[in-house]
Amino acid sequence: MVSKSHRRLDLRKANLAAVQDVPSTPPLGSSKLDSSLKRHTALIKKLKTSLHSAPSAEFIKEIKGLTIMKYMEEVVSAVVEGTGKCRKEGEVQGAVEVMSAMHQRFPTLFTPPLTANFLSLLAPSKASTSAAPEQREKEDTARVSRQRVLLRIFAELELVALVVMPTGPTKNEGENTFQIIKELLTADKEALLLSIPVATAFAKQLGNLFLPSSADNPPLVDDADNSLGDEDIIPVPMKEKFKKLFTQYYDALSRRAVKENLFMKETDRRNHEAYIRSGQIFEDRAQSYETLAKSFEKLWAGVTSLSEVLGTSVPELPSLPSTTITSTISFGGSTGGPTEGEGVGSIWADEEERKFYEDIVDLKGEVPGSVLVSTQQPQTSNAPAKPTSVPEPIKAEEAEDDDDAPPTLKEDPEEALPPAPAAQLQAILARLPECTSRATIDKAAVDFAFLNSKPARKRLTRFLASVSRNRTDLLPYYARLTATLSKYMPDIGSGLIAALEDEFRYLQRKKSVNLAETRAKNTRYLAELTKFKITPNHLILFCIKSCVDDLTGPNVDNLCNLLEGSGRFLLKSEATGEKTASLLEVMKRKKAAQNFTHQQITMLENAYYQCDPPDRVVIPPKERTPMELFLRHLFFNVLTKKTIDSVIKTLRKMHWEDPKIFQLLVSHFTKVWKAKFSNIHLFAILLHDLSKFHPDFHVVVVDQVLENLKVGMEVNNFKYNQQRIATIKYIGEMYNYRVIDSKVVLDVLWTLTMFGHPGNRPSPEDPSLRDAADDFFRVRLTCTLLDTCGSCFDRGQLRKKLDHFLIFFQMYILAKQTPPMDVGFMINDTFDSLRPKMTMMKTYEEASNAVDNMVAANQAAVESHEPAEEELDDDASDGEVDIASDPMELASDSESSDEAEEDPDAHEAERDESEDEDEMEIGRNTSYGPTVEDEEEFERELAKMMIDTSDSRKAANEKRTALADVALPVWKKKEKIRDEELDDEEDGLQHMKFTVLTKKGNKNQTRTLQVPVDSAIAVHTRSKQEQVRAEQQQLKKLVLEFEEREEAQEKKSLQESMAKRGIRIKYGEPA
């Protein structure tokens, strides 16, 4: 492969030969060349657009096959435009080869206009005074970018002898390039900064060919074949001229950089002084400083690049002379002392907080003075200005840099601790995360003071600055440690503050990155150090002002953390109070003007009131009696499923005759929403057990709970919704634990769906003021009650009553608007759990017709039981509330009629009370026995048990070997007689009748078969009948004995309970 050096030399020889051998007439064979317009247009277009990308061999082939002479001007323009797009080394070399091919064919027609075009484009531009500064800057940037490429190509063309100057040939090679560079670099001394990219690019790319080589400045192009002669094209005197030109340009840039650096530092110092005086830097000053900093950064980058190419050292930037401003600002201290005391108007919230931040351990009394001597020297004016300088505004170019890493304190490898102190220091640092009290952190400070040395202090500073973002609880204690040590070791505090300030600036530049925990740690750390007077006042005010100026995104959280941590301290301090108050006022105005989320508004308000809490009268706590506190502790803390027996015993020991205690118990048993929702069923259990001993208490509680439910429906205030949910849950649990009966639950259900509606019938056309069409809270209450105890209404009359209500409940739901999604899910879950096979109605008309049919059927059933009306009146007058009255008497009528059928004498015993206050006659048919529902349930369970027993016996009998040729014996229902009569017949006839079922064709036939009594089948059948009869008698005996024991136990407990009240009960003989 031919090297670049050989190729450059070959092209130079060919181009020089083409100039010397210019033919006077067109060459032979030119008539065979293609002169079509189409191919020439394609070549010109290709030269404009693809000269930098297409292979040079293709262009050379086309150039040799076309006439081109008629289109020379277009070809030259296309070549110049195409070369402006070449950026890489290979693209430049390919363009030079194409232009060399054109030169070798047309040395007089192509090369002079090409050179003229390059010279016009490389000429320095004149400053335009009419254009705007921004527009002029954009034009200069585009021109310099284009000239940087064209200058490199022009230099390559001169190296291969492809430059023909209009003034004639030059004496030395490289003279043309030198003149162009000299004009670009020295045309405008005020615009030296614009030519930096041109000079830097030329020196880096072609410095090995145009600049003299030396040991200090070797060739930058890494090519092993460069030593073959291409670097000798430019003579040494010419190279020295290039070297001198670049050196003079570099010196001018260096002087300009030093001058601009001094001016920038002077501007920074003036901004510093203005910030100290007014607490802020005006916008015009900040923009001016940003412009200077941006210009200096570009200038310094050019100086650094040229110093590397030329092999010279970078100039030193002098510092400003020290001023008196640094001596007027002490490290973090304020000139005025804080307000002493505690309370709303003081710095500290309480005495404990004041002691934590002000009572700092004095190390001079804990460690020898010789340990603290080396670090107790005061700061001089020659000290670094970083810790005490006013923070600079965040620069725009810094904000655009997204690749920088978070600032960290680097360890100095030259300064290391000896092994023994290093191990002790490591032990102290390992112990610091566990120091979460004043005593332990003060002990750690004293221990570190004994290891005081510069490497130890630097290591401690790095450790304090790198606290984990998840351990913000350690920040107050680390700040106290810093305050304790900074009195005698100020470099610890200054180093930590410098690290936190750099981190704050870094996080401000990374607003789009999710670093919430790191931001919170940084701002809280600065706030804690401020209260220890370690953070300079101007620095913390700068942080707050930066967040207030850009009150968006993460700055809202940063500002809240700063104000919550140190806002009160700054506002109540004399030195910072006025400035902090103005910043808080700006924050309030921005909060009112900008659009914030509810969470951000709440955070800003909390932060503001943390700084300046309003004056309020302290609300005294409610005074409670010891008994009240004991009951609250018993119900809210002690009561659990495991301790319910002990709670019952404790409640029974109460002085129930005391009206105050009785009222306290009623209050706790009716306001169950104050307890945990999961403990509501425990109150129902307690009420059930206490009702055996205090029936009047049970009545009062149930009556009050029902009254609370009805009051909630009348008021219908959303703030009582939680109480209403707990109350309805309580009613369901009371039914589950037999405190109330099914009639109360059904009355509550019907009340929830009818109360407040005209005619007790919900309708979309006649809305209720107490139950709006878009209010679904009663639906929630109904579903909660059904989910709690609805599964108990699964058989008998209770199932029928609940089915009637569910039909009406569907009409109630359809009378409202479309329910929300969560309410719809609740309704579906309730119906799926109670009646999964029930068909849900889709429209209100369908549900209304179903309700009408149900009411009509119920009225017909009520009319067929008219003799029971008198008993219904007695039931309605016994103190219970008839909730489902008026037209919709469905629930009460059906219940009354069912009760009249099931137990017509249920209330007769109440009329047999004796007028004697000391004795009370109670008959067998009082309400202390099993209810009708219990009897029905018992009969159903007994029948189920008998069926299971008979099925198991049949299965056992089927396993036995069947008798051969014996048909299945069955009994006709019509021929069944009593067992006693059957026994007498069998004794007299000495035979047992069996009915045999046979089949003839498609007809079943039966015939009677006389089987001898002593046969196997007769003996087996008779023994089976006797066994079943004996089991039935035994089971009946056990059930009756159990009922007698239960009744005796209830009588005995009732006698004991009434005896405590001075009432003696005497039971009469059963009727």
Side-chain angles (χ1 to χ4, degrees), residues 646-680:
S646 61
V647 172
I648 292 174
K649 293 180 181 179
T650 304
L651 291 176
R652 289 184 59 188
K653 295 177 182 179
M654 294 287 177
H655 187 42
W656 286 82
E657 287 74 15
D658 189 348
K660 294 182 179 179
I661 295 179
F662 186 85
Q663 189 59 38
L664 284 175
L665 291 171
V666 171
S667 176
H668 282 89
F669 272 88
T670 54
K671 298 178 181 179
V672 291
W673 55 81
K674 294 184 177 181
K676 295 181 181 178
F677 190 79
S678 58
N679 287 352
I680 291 180

Short mmCIF file of all heavy atoms in Angstrom, two decimals, residues 646-680:
data_model
loop_
_atom_site.label_atom_id
_atom_site.label_comp_id
_atom_site.label_asym_id
_atom_site.label_seq_id
_atom_site.Cartn_x
_atom_site.Cartn_y
_atom_site.Cartn_z
N SER A 646 -61.20 -11.81 80.12
CA SER A 646 -60.79 -10.99 81.27
C SER A 646 -61.46 -9.62 81.24
O SER A 646 -61.79 -9.06 82.29
CB SER A 646 -59.27 -10.83 81.28
OG SER A 646 -58.82 -10.17 80.10
N VAL A 647 -61.70 -9.07 80.04
CA VAL A 647 -62.39 -7.79 79.95
C VAL A 647 -63.82 -7.92 80.44
O VAL A 647 -64.35 -7.04 81.13
CB VAL A 647 -62.34 -7.26 78.49
CG1 VAL A 647 -63.22 -6.02 78.34
CG2 VAL A 647 -60.91 -6.93 78.10
N ILE A 648 -64.48 -9.02 80.09
CA ILE A 648 -65.86 -9.25 80.57
C ILE A 648 -65.90 -9.33 82.09
O ILE A 648 -66.77 -8.73 82.75
CB ILE A 648 -66.44 -10.52 79.93
CG1 ILE A 648 -66.63 -10.31 78.43
CG2 ILE A 648 -67.76 -10.91 80.58
CD1 ILE A 648 -67.05 -11.55 77.69
N LYS A 649 -64.98 -10.04 82.66
CA LYS A 649 -64.93 -10.14 84.13
C LYS A 649 -64.70 -8.77 84.76
O LYS A 649 -65.30 -8.45 85.79
CB LYS A 649 -63.83 -11.11 84.54
CG LYS A 649 -64.10 -12.56 84.13
CD LYS A 649 -62.97 -13.47 84.56
CE LYS A 649 -63.23 -14.91 84.14
NZ LYS A 649 -62.11 -15.82 84.53
N THR A 650 -63.82 -7.97 84.13
CA THR A 650 -63.56 -6.63 84.67
C THR A 650 -64.81 -5.76 84.59
O THR A 650 -65.13 -5.02 85.53
CB THR A 650 -62.40 -5.98 83.90
OG1 THR A 650 -61.26 -6.83 83.96
CG2 THR A 650 -62.06 -4.63 84.50
N LEU A 651 -65.53 -5.83 83.48
CA LEU A 651 -66.73 -5.02 83.32
C LEU A 651 -67.83 -5.46 84.30
O LEU A 651 -68.58 -4.62 84.82
CB LEU A 651 -67.25 -5.12 81.88
CG LEU A 651 -66.38 -4.46 80.81
CD1 LEU A 651 -66.97 -4.71 79.43
CD2 LEU A 651 -66.26 -2.96 81.06
N ARG A 652 -67.93 -6.73 84.58
CA ARG A 652 -68.94 -7.20 85.55
C ARG A 652 -68.65 -6.71 86.96
O ARG A 652 -69.56 -6.62 87.78
CB ARG A 652 -69.01 -8.72 85.51
CG ARG A 652 -69.63 -9.28 84.24
CD ARG A 652 -69.74 -10.79 84.30
NE ARG A 652 -70.56 -11.19 85.43
CZ ARG A 652 -70.73 -12.45 85.84
NH1 ARG A 652 -70.10 -13.43 85.19
NH2 ARG A 652 -71.47 -12.74 86.87
N LYS A 653 -67.39 -6.39 87.22
CA LYS A 653 -67.03 -5.90 88.55
C LYS A 653 -67.30 -4.40 88.72
O LYS A 653 -67.09 -3.86 89.80
CB LYS A 653 -65.55 -6.18 88.82
CG LYS A 653 -65.21 -7.66 88.88
CD LYS A 653 -63.72 -7.87 89.07
CE LYS A 653 -63.37 -9.35 89.07
NZ LYS A 653 -61.91 -9.58 89.24
N MET A 654 -67.71 -3.74 87.66
CA MET A 654 -68.00 -2.31 87.74
C MET A 654 -69.21 -2.04 88.64
O MET A 654 -70.06 -2.91 88.85
CB MET A 654 -68.26 -1.73 86.33
CG MET A 654 -67.05 -1.75 85.42
SD MET A 654 -65.85 -0.52 85.91
CE MET A 654 -64.56 -0.88 84.74
N HIS A 655 -69.26 -0.82 89.11
CA HIS A 655 -70.39 -0.39 89.95
C HIS A 655 -71.52 0.05 89.02
O HIS A 655 -71.68 1.23 88.71
CB HIS A 655 -69.95 0.74 90.88
CG HIS A 655 -70.98 1.12 91.90
ND1 HIS A 655 -71.72 0.19 92.59
CD2 HIS A 655 -71.41 2.33 92.33
CE1 HIS A 655 -72.55 0.80 93.41
NE2 HIS A 655 -72.38 2.11 93.26
N TRP A 656 -72.34 -0.91 88.60
CA TRP A 656 -73.36 -0.64 87.59
C TRP A 656 -74.48 0.25 88.13
O TRP A 656 -75.20 0.86 87.35
CB TRP A 656 -73.95 -1.96 87.08
CG TRP A 656 -73.01 -2.70 86.17
CD1 TRP A 656 -71.98 -3.50 86.54
CD2 TRP A 656 -73.00 -2.65 84.74
NE1 TRP A 656 -71.32 -3.99 85.45
CE2 TRP A 656 -71.93 -3.48 84.31
CE3 TRP A 656 -73.78 -2.02 83.79
CZ2 TRP A 656 -71.65 -3.69 82.97
CZ3 TRP A 656 -73.50 -2.23 82.46
CH2 TRP A 656 -72.44 -3.05 82.06
N GLU A 657 -74.63 0.31 89.45
CA GLU A 657 -75.70 1.14 90.01
C GLU A 657 -75.35 2.63 89.94
O GLU A 657 -76.22 3.48 90.09
CB GLU A 657 -76.00 0.75 91.45
CG GLU A 657 -76.72 -0.58 91.58
CD GLU A 657 -75.81 -1.76 91.31
OE1 GLU A 657 -74.56 -1.56 91.31
OE2 GLU A 657 -76.31 -2.88 91.10
N ASP A 658 -74.06 2.97 89.70
CA ASP A 658 -73.65 4.36 89.60
C ASP A 658 -74.06 4.90 88.24
O ASP A 658 -73.64 4.39 87.19
CB ASP A 658 -72.13 4.47 89.77
CG ASP A 658 -71.67 5.92 89.90
OD1 ASP A 658 -72.48 6.82 89.64
OD2 ASP A 658 -70.50 6.13 90.25
N PRO A 659 -74.90 5.94 88.18
CA PRO A 659 -75.36 6.45 86.87
C PRO A 659 -74.22 6.95 85.99
O PRO A 659 -74.27 6.81 84.77
CB PRO A 659 -76.31 7.59 87.25
CG PRO A 659 -76.70 7.33 88.66
CD PRO A 659 -75.53 6.64 89.30
N LYS A 660 -73.16 7.51 86.58
CA LYS A 660 -72.06 8.02 85.77
C LYS A 660 -71.30 6.88 85.09
O LYS A 660 -70.98 6.96 83.89
CB LYS A 660 -71.09 8.82 86.66
CG LYS A 660 -71.71 10.10 87.22
CD LYS A 660 -70.67 10.86 88.04
CE LYS A 660 -71.28 12.16 88.59
NZ LYS A 660 -70.31 12.91 89.41
N ILE A 661 -71.05 5.83 85.84
CA ILE A 661 -70.36 4.69 85.24
C ILE A 661 -71.24 4.03 84.18
O ILE A 661 -70.77 3.64 83.10
CB ILE A 661 -69.96 3.68 86.33
CG1 ILE A 661 -68.93 4.32 87.27
CG2 ILE A 661 -69.40 2.41 85.71
CD1 ILE A 661 -68.49 3.43 88.40
N PHE A 662 -72.53 3.91 84.50
CA PHE A 662 -73.46 3.33 83.54
C PHE A 662 -73.46 4.14 82.24
O PHE A 662 -73.43 3.58 81.13
CB PHE A 662 -74.86 3.28 84.15
CG PHE A 662 -75.86 2.55 83.30
CD1 PHE A 662 -75.99 1.17 83.37
CD2 PHE A 662 -76.68 3.25 82.43
CE1 PHE A 662 -76.92 0.51 82.59
CE2 PHE A 662 -77.61 2.60 81.64
CZ PHE A 662 -77.73 1.21 81.73
N GLN A 663 -73.46 5.46 82.35
CA GLN A 663 -73.46 6.31 81.16
C GLN A 663 -72.14 6.22 80.41
O GLN A 663 -72.12 6.25 79.16
CB GLN A 663 -73.74 7.76 81.57
CG GLN A 663 -73.99 8.70 80.39
CD GLN A 663 -75.17 8.27 79.55
OE1 GLN A 663 -76.17 7.80 80.09
NE2 GLN A 663 -75.05 8.43 78.24
N LEU A 664 -71.02 6.10 81.12
CA LEU A 664 -69.74 5.92 80.45
C LEU A 664 -69.71 4.64 79.64
O LEU A 664 -69.23 4.61 78.50
CB LEU A 664 -68.61 5.91 81.48
CG LEU A 664 -68.18 7.27 82.07
CD1 LEU A 664 -67.14 7.06 83.14
CD2 LEU A 664 -67.64 8.17 80.97
N LEU A 665 -70.24 3.57 80.22
CA LEU A 665 -70.27 2.30 79.50
C LEU A 665 -71.18 2.39 78.27
O LEU A 665 -70.84 1.86 77.20
CB LEU A 665 -70.75 1.18 80.43
CG LEU A 665 -69.78 0.81 81.55
CD1 LEU A 665 -70.46 -0.14 82.53
CD2 LEU A 665 -68.54 0.17 80.98
N VAL A 666 -72.32 3.04 78.41
CA VAL A 666 -73.20 3.22 77.27
C VAL A 666 -72.51 4.01 76.17
O VAL A 666 -72.62 3.69 74.97
CB VAL A 666 -74.52 3.90 77.71
CG1 VAL A 666 -75.35 4.30 76.49
CG2 VAL A 666 -75.33 2.99 78.62
N SER A 667 -71.79 5.05 76.57
CA SER A 667 -71.08 5.87 75.59
C SER A 667 -70.04 5.06 74.83
O SER A 667 -69.92 5.17 73.61
CB SER A 667 -70.43 7.06 76.29
OG SER A 667 -69.66 7.82 75.39
N HIS A 668 -69.27 4.24 75.50
CA HIS A 668 -68.24 3.45 74.83
C HIS A 668 -68.86 2.37 73.95
O HIS A 668 -68.31 2.04 72.89
CB HIS A 668 -67.30 2.82 75.86
CG HIS A 668 -66.29 3.78 76.40
ND1 HIS A 668 -66.52 4.56 77.51
CD2 HIS A 668 -65.04 4.09 75.99
CE1 HIS A 668 -65.45 5.30 77.76
NE2 HIS A 668 -64.54 5.04 76.85
N PHE A 669 -69.97 1.80 74.39
CA PHE A 669 -70.59 0.73 73.60
C PHE A 669 -71.39 1.26 72.42
O PHE A 669 -71.71 0.49 71.52
CB PHE A 669 -71.49 -0.14 74.50
CG PHE A 669 -70.76 -1.25 75.17
CD1 PHE A 669 -70.15 -1.07 76.40
CD2 PHE A 669 -70.66 -2.49 74.58
CE1 PHE A 669 -69.48 -2.09 77.02
CE2 PHE A 669 -69.98 -3.53 75.19
CZ PHE A 669 -69.38 -3.33 76.43
N THR A 670 -71.71 2.53 72.40
CA THR A 670 -72.44 3.09 71.26
C THR A 670 -71.51 3.83 70.30
O THR A 670 -71.82 3.92 69.11
CB THR A 670 -73.53 4.06 71.76
OG1 THR A 670 -72.93 5.05 72.61
CG2 THR A 670 -74.60 3.31 72.51
N LYS A 671 -70.38 4.33 70.76
CA LYS A 671 -69.43 5.03 69.89
C LYS A 671 -68.29 4.10 69.51
O LYS A 671 -67.12 4.31 69.84
CB LYS A 671 -68.89 6.27 70.60
CG LYS A 671 -69.97 7.29 70.95
CD LYS A 671 -69.40 8.48 71.70
CE LYS A 671 -70.48 9.48 72.06
NZ LYS A 671 -69.96 10.64 72.82
N VAL A 672 -68.66 3.04 68.80
CA VAL A 672 -67.66 2.02 68.45
C VAL A 672 -66.69 2.52 67.38
O VAL A 672 -65.67 1.87 67.13
CB VAL A 672 -68.36 0.74 67.97
CG1 VAL A 672 -69.08 0.07 69.10
CG2 VAL A 672 -69.33 1.06 66.84
N TRP A 673 -67.01 3.64 66.71
CA TRP A 673 -66.08 4.14 65.69
C TRP A 673 -64.77 4.65 66.28
O TRP A 673 -63.80 4.87 65.56
CB TRP A 673 -66.76 5.26 64.90
CG TRP A 673 -67.28 6.38 65.73
CD1 TRP A 673 -66.60 7.43 66.23
CD2 TRP A 673 -68.63 6.55 66.17
NE1 TRP A 673 -67.41 8.25 66.95
CE2 TRP A 673 -68.69 7.74 66.93
CE3 TRP A 673 -69.82 5.83 65.99
CZ2 TRP A 673 -69.85 8.22 67.51
CZ3 TRP A 673 -70.98 6.30 66.57
CH2 TRP A 673 -71.00 7.49 67.32
N LYS A 674 -64.72 4.84 67.59
CA LYS A 674 -63.47 5.26 68.22
C LYS A 674 -62.49 4.11 68.38
O LYS A 674 -61.30 4.33 68.58
CB LYS A 674 -63.76 5.89 69.58
CG LYS A 674 -64.54 7.20 69.50
CD LYS A 674 -64.70 7.82 70.86
CE LYS A 674 -65.43 9.17 70.79
NZ LYS A 674 -65.57 9.80 72.11
N ALA A 675 -63.00 2.90 68.32
CA ALA A 675 -62.13 1.72 68.44
C ALA A 675 -61.69 1.28 67.04
O ALA A 675 -62.11 1.83 66.01
CB ALA A 675 -62.87 0.59 69.14
N LYS A 676 -60.83 0.29 66.99
CA LYS A 676 -60.38 -0.26 65.72
C LYS A 676 -61.56 -0.93 65.02
O LYS A 676 -62.39 -1.58 65.65
CB LYS A 676 -59.26 -1.27 65.93
CG LYS A 676 -57.98 -0.67 66.50
CD LYS A 676 -56.93 -1.75 66.66
CE LYS A 676 -55.64 -1.17 67.25
NZ LYS A 676 -54.62 -2.23 67.45
N PHE A 677 -61.57 -0.80 63.70
CA PHE A 677 -62.67 -1.39 62.93
C PHE A 677 -62.66 -2.91 63.07
O PHE A 677 -63.71 -3.54 63.07
CB PHE A 677 -62.52 -0.99 61.46
CG PHE A 677 -63.70 -1.34 60.62
CD1 PHE A 677 -64.86 -0.57 60.64
CD2 PHE A 677 -63.68 -2.47 59.81
CE1 PHE A 677 -65.96 -0.91 59.86
CE2 PHE A 677 -64.77 -2.80 59.03
CZ PHE A 677 -65.92 -2.02 59.06
N SER A 678 -61.48 -3.49 63.21
CA SER A 678 -61.40 -4.95 63.34
C SER A 678 -61.83 -5.44 64.72
O SER A 678 -61.99 -6.65 64.92
CB SER A 678 -59.96 -5.41 63.07
OG SER A 678 -59.05 -4.77 63.96
N ASN A 679 -62.04 -4.54 65.68
CA ASN A 679 -62.46 -4.93 67.02
C ASN A 679 -63.94 -4.70 67.27
O ASN A 679 -64.40 -4.88 68.41
CB ASN A 679 -61.66 -4.16 68.07
CG ASN A 679 -60.23 -4.65 68.18
OD1 ASN A 679 -59.87 -5.66 67.59
ND2 ASN A 679 -59.40 -3.93 68.90
N ILE A 680 -64.70 -4.31 66.25
CA ILE A 680 -66.12 -4.02 66.47
C ILE A 680 -66.86 -5.27 66.89
O ILE A 680 -67.76 -5.22 67.76
CB ILE A 680 -66.71 -3.40 65.19
CG1 ILE A 680 -66.14 -1.99 64.96
CG2 ILE A 680 -68.23 -3.35 65.26
CD1 ILE A 680 -66.66 -1.31 63.73
#
